[in-house]
Amino acid sequence: MKAALFLILLASIYLLHARADIPHVPIDFKKFAGTWYPRAYVLKNRDPLNIIPLDDRVEPSGGGDAVLTKRYIKDGKCQVTEVKVVHTDQPGVFKFAGTSEVIHVVDADYKSYYIVHIVENNTYRLYLSSRTREPSEDVKTKFREFAETLGFDVNQIVYAHLAGKSEFGGMFEECTASIIGIKVFQVNLTAICHIF
């Protein structure tokens, strides 16, 4: 019994130490504002994501906080989720309001990319987002290096967009175009209905 308690204590100390070692950089949401494209992710202790990410929009909301609007396809439908990103006492470390998720901005270049590490209980996620639909090879390499340093299996990295194809199971452009096409069709159909 004492040995089991000792092992639990050691594991707890290790987990606290591991979380404290996650790098983070201070950020300015005013410079972060705008559209970003989720390009890659890797997970640890979590089931795979079953979504096709389209884009994220960051809007500063004052006091060091921001609103993140995520557009993605899930179950064949376009979904939009809005979450508040709340600052903490540590620069570059945030929380999603109403959750236990802690977000560390691991690296960021306001003009081209950012990498975030998200911890929730004993699950871990690392994401790469880019200002463009296809980040440079240097940025992909940097993401891979962070993933390896933070203990992720780099063979499990999922790229949302490689050579025009999504590894989520379809053409990224087709998904985006079909949503746009449906919206245009709906608008045109509505206009036609109003004429008659």
Side-chain angles (χ1 to χ4, degrees):
M1 180 70 179
K2 286 182 181 179
L5 288 174
F6 180 71
L7 288 174
I8 291 171
L9 177 64
L10 283 179
S12 298
I13 292 170
Y14 171 77
L15 286 174
L16 286 173
H17 178 70
R19 289 184 182 184
D21 287 346
I22 299 170
H24 51 275
V25 296
I27 63 161
D28 177 352
F29 275 128
K30 289 178 186 166
K31 294 179 183 176
F32 231 69
T35 302
W36 295 89
Y37 300 98
R39 299 295 58 173
Y41 73 85
V42 62
L43 310 171
K44 188 175 5 172
N45 300 338
R46 184 181 166 117
D47 291 333
L49 303 176
N50 63 346
I51 65 170
I52 300 171
L54 298 176
D55 58 34
D56 296 342
R57 182 147 183 82
V58 176
E59 294 182 37
S61 61
D65 299 342
V67 174
L68 174 65
T69 304
K70 302 177 77 50
R71 277 189 339 123
Y72 54 93
I73 297 173
K74 182 174 182 176
D75 300 327
K77 297 177 184 170
C78 185
Q79 308 283 326
V80 178
T81 302
E82 194 172 276
V83 291
K84 182 143 176 116
V85 181
V86 181
H87 72 282
T88 66
D89 293 339
Q90 290 183 290
V93 180
F94 302 87
K95 289 188 172 199
F96 287 130
T99 74
S100 61
E101 294 174 292
V102 178
I103 307 138
H104 294 82
V105 179
V106 175
D107 194 24
D109 175 340
Y110 299 115
K111 294 178 183 171
S112 60
Y113 73 93
Y114 71 85
I115 299 170
V116 294
H117 182 274
I118 301 176
V119 178
E120 182 179 26
N121 301 322
N122 67 340
T123 65
Y124 306 89
R125 297 172 281 168
L126 191 68
Y127 290 97
L128 167 64
S129 289
S130 174
R131 287 282 191 195
T132 62
R133 293 189 190 276
E134 193 61 42
S136 71
E137 288 303 316
D138 290 344
V139 170
K140 290 179 185 177
T141 299
K142 189 176 281 198
F143 178 74
R144 186 178 181 87
E145 289 169 354
F146 272 118
E148 189 170 25
T149 300
L150 292 169
F152 289 92
D153 179 353
V154 295
N155 295 315
Q156 298 298 315
I157 293 174
V158 175
Y159 291 96
H161 187 242
L162 283 175
K165 292 188 178 182
S166 168
E167 292 184 13
F168 293 97
M171 297 295 288
F172 183 85
E173 282 81 8
E174 285 180 17
C175 292
T176 305
S178 67
I179 287 175
I180 292 168
I182 289 168
K183 296 291 183 193
V184 169
F185 177 74
Q186 289 172 337
V187 168
N188 289 339
L189 186 59
T190 302
I192 290 169
C193 291
H194 285 325
I195 292 172
F196 295 105

